[in-house]
Amino acid sequence: MELEKIDYKKFIWPVVIGLIIWFTTPIRPSGVSTQAWQMLALFVATIVGCITQPLGIAGVTLIGFALTVGLGFVPMKVALTAFSNSAAWLIAMAFLLSRGIIKTGLGQRIALLFVRWFGKKTLGLAYAIAGIDLITAPATPSNTARAGGIVFPLIQSLAETFKSTPEKGTQDKIGSYLVFTEFHANTITSALFMTAMAPNLVAVQMADKLGVHITWIGWFIAASVPSILAFIIVPWLIYKMFPPKIKETPNAKEWADSELAKMGKMKLSEKIMSFAFILTLVLWMLTSVTGMDATFIALMAIDILLVTGVLSVQDVLKEKGAWNVLIWLSVLVYMAGLLTQFGLIKWLSDAIAHEMHGIGWLTVLIVLGIVLFYTHYFFASATAHVTAMFAPFLGVAISAGAPHYLAAMFLAMISAVMASTTHYANGPASILATSGYVKQGTWWKLNFILGIFYILVISVIGILWLKLIGLN
């Protein structure tokens, strides 16, 4: 067996940056302990490793985890509590739900039904594409899987039906518009549901460390108005800025009908999957009433799928995404928690808040949101970005007097939509931007405009809504 190929050059930056911070311990700021500063060195090195990725993100975080124990920050028995992280298990269970949706064909059937119902005009077809993402988002925590595994193949088939492909140079007929609209629909639905992408759970855990507890339904209610408003406006806005040449799509309904005919009647596995999916969503929404744990609800749904044979044990074991996220999310949240435990986050928040003394909390919060959004140009991973910056920024906002829950949700929504920047901003961007349907220059230009739109919607409508529902 040959050894795995590893690009060892990508270890250089994490190691160099980590050592620089480590060896500046003697000149660290007053008020920061040696333990906190050295933990910061290890944490930053791990985050940089998540960006350069000499190994997959799970591999990088496992190295960081081993060093956390090996360097004496915590004993092994204590460190292993990292893997009792409820949020990490929740997102892993949601990955398995997503596998069921794809395996049974339920996701494809939902997609085809949306096209049949709304696909007479290109704009309607775009809303159908967005609707597919909306329906599947709550139980598909990999927005990459949602975009690349469910929606993009459908867009490709539709584009080919209308002879709109990059290979023929005809992508601007309809394909480009649908691809770009799906990217933004994916971005918006990622902000709407707590379980729509893994970095959301990082934000939830970071907020929890600072005493802000966000539930599934709490997230949905807080994000609903700005997200739904964006969901309604953005496909139309893209239609005006980046219009497709084909405006009418009568063939889309016929194509969807023919594909549905090939699928046949709804199979028993699809019906069971639908039941489990709907039951999970309903119970998540009722957690504040029932007191049931969201992770237990997801686990119960997976048990239903296993007992009925919709998923096999092999399906569970082969779902790499679930176990990958369980590792890196658990480790990153644990390491970030140690920074809070050792007092670094409080020191950093107090220091920044002191510099911004006299400025109103609303101004501070909006400035933090803008900085958080535009610094994503320097990140290729939303996970790394949220892990590195969410907790300090939330701490600063709280120190400035911002309502805790309002500040957490404002920054969480910004963290979700900041992917609307570059072609490397997240997984869906990497898939859709490199498909050849949208030129890179167009991608950056339109995203810059839409980025301003998102910031305005969340800063104005979002904050007004959060205050209206009592988060003030």
Side-chain angles (χ1 to χ4, degrees):
M1 186 183 76
E2 292 186 9
L3 296 172
E4 291 287 334
K5 292 183 179 179
I6 299 173
D7 188 348
Y8 288 99
K9 291 180 181 178
K10 292 183 177 179
F11 277 111
I12 294 174
W13 280 112
V15 172
V16 168
I17 292 173
L19 288 175
I20 288 173
I21 298 174
W22 184 282
F23 286 116
T24 57
T25 301
I27 58 171
R28 68 189 183 279
S30 60
V32 179
S33 68
T34 298
Q35 187 182 39
W37 191 257
Q38 291 179 343
M39 187 64 220
L40 174 67
L42 179 54
F43 180 72
V44 170
T46 303
I47 294 299
V48 174
C50 290
I51 296 170
T52 61
Q53 291 199 30
L55 303 172
I57 188 170
V60 171
T61 54
L62 279 176
I63 292 174
F65 182 70
L67 288 171
T68 301
V69 176
L71 293 170
F73 291 106
V74 287
M76 191 66 191
K77 287 184 179 180
V78 175
L80 286 173
T81 61
F83 298 100
S84 65
N85 186 312
S86 177
W89 281 98
L90 170 61
I91 211 75
M93 294 302 102
F95 264 93
L96 296 175
L97 277 175
S98 175
R99 174 172 273 264
I101 290 171
I102 295 172
K103 178 186 177 182
T104 60
L106 178 63
Q108 183 183 7
R109 187 179 296 277
I110 292 171
L112 292 169
L113 286 170
F114 267 79
V115 171
R116 185 172 73 178
W117 294 333
F118 304 105
K120 293 182 181 180
K121 295 181 182 292
T122 302
L123 184 58
L125 194 56
Y127 279 107
I129 295 294
I132 297 161
D133 208 296
L134 178 68
I135 292 295
T136 55
T140 314
S142 169
N143 52 357
T144 304
R146 198 160 69 244
I150 298 175
V151 185
F152 183 57
L154 178 69
I155 292 175
Q156 282 184 305
S157 298
L158 281 168
E160 287 171 7
T161 300
F162 291 97
K163 297 179 173 56
S164 175
T165 64
E167 292 77 17
K168 296 178 182 177
T170 55
Q171 65 270 20
D172 56 349
K173 279 186 175 182
I174 192 172
S176 299
Y177 170 65
L178 293 181
V179 164
F180 196 66
T181 300
E182 157 53 16
F183 174 67
H184 281 275
N186 184 279
T187 299
I188 295 165
T189 58
S190 293
L192 180 57
F193 302 105
M194 188 175 83
T195 47
M197 68 171 187
N200 288 352
L201 272 295
V202 178
V204 169
Q205 287 293 288
M206 296 294 177
D208 191 68
K209 299 289 184 185
L210 294 174
V212 185
H213 308 293
I214 303 173
T215 63
W216 192 93
I217 190 63
W219 179 298
F220 176 74
I221 292 171
S224 60
V225 169
S227 297
I228 291 171
L229 182 65
F231 188 85
I232 293 169
I233 294 174
V234 167
W236 173 83
L237 199 57
I238 296 173
Y239 188 82
K240 293 298 181 182
M241 294 191 301
F242 191 43
K245 290 183 178 179
I246 296 175
K247 311 294 185 189
E248 306 283 337
T249 55
N251 294 345
K253 183 180 182 301
E254 295 174 6
W255 173 80
D257 284 336
S258 67
E259 292 296 313
L260 283 167
K262 291 177 187 176
M263 290 188 73
K265 292 183 178 180
M266 199 172 186
K267 303 186 294 293
L268 178 60
S269 60
E270 291 180 79
K271 292 178 181 178
I272 296 172
M273 186 65 239
S274 299
F275 169 76
F277 180 36
I278 293 169
L279 176 66
T280 302
L281 294 184
V282 170
L283 290 178
W284 275 345
M285 292 177 186
L286 296 175
T287 50
S288 59
V289 177
T290 63
M292 294 177 71
D293 183 82
T295 305
F296 171 72
I297 292 167
L299 179 61
M300 184 174 63
I302 299 305
D303 287 344
I304 291 172
L305 299 181
L306 284 170
V307 169
T308 56
V310 173
L311 286 178
S312 67
V313 174
Q314 288 302 311
D315 288 327
V316 172
L317 295 176
K318 289 178 180 177
E319 183 50 61
K320 296 178 182 178
W323 311 122
N324 180 50
V325 77
L326 179 63
I327 291 170
W328 65 251
L329 180 56
S330 297
V331 173
L332 286 179
V333 169
Y334 185 72
M335 292 177 73
L338 290 178
L339 289 177
T340 302
Q341 181 182 323
F342 297 159
L344 185 82
I345 300 301
K346 185 179 186 305
W347 168 83
L348 182 61
S349 301
D350 290 345
I352 297 175
H354 177 74
E355 293 299 320
M356 303 182 78
H357 180 69
I359 303 175
W361 68 261
L362 183 58
T363 302
V364 170
L365 185 60
I366 292 174
V367 168
L368 290 171
I370 292 171
V371 172
L372 183 64
F373 184 94
Y374 285 109
T375 49
H376 198 60
Y377 278 96
F378 303 103
F379 286 85
S381 165
T383 300
H385 193 174
V386 173
T387 305
M389 300 183 71
F390 185 87
F393 276 33
L394 178 57
V396 170
I398 290 172
S399 297
H404 298 192
Y405 203 107
L406 183 151
M409 279 308 306
F410 173 80
L411 293 173
M413 286 187 282
I414 291 290
S415 297
V417 300
M418 67 189 180
S420 61
T421 44
T422 66
H423 61 289
Y424 54 80
N426 63 359
S430 300
I431 293 170
L432 300 173
T434 59
S435 65
Y437 281 93
V438 184
K439 293 179 181 178
Q440 186 173 311
T442 303
W443 189 274
W444 279 57
K445 180 178 69 176
L446 294 178
N447 273 348
F448 181 77
I449 296 169
L450 288 165
I452 295 172
F453 170 80
Y454 289 134
I455 291 171
L456 287 173
V457 167
I458 295 173
S459 298
V460 179
I461 305 299
I463 289 178
L464 286 174
W465 168 244
L466 292 171
K467 289 178 71 66
L468 182 66
I469 60 177
L471 303 180
N472 52 18

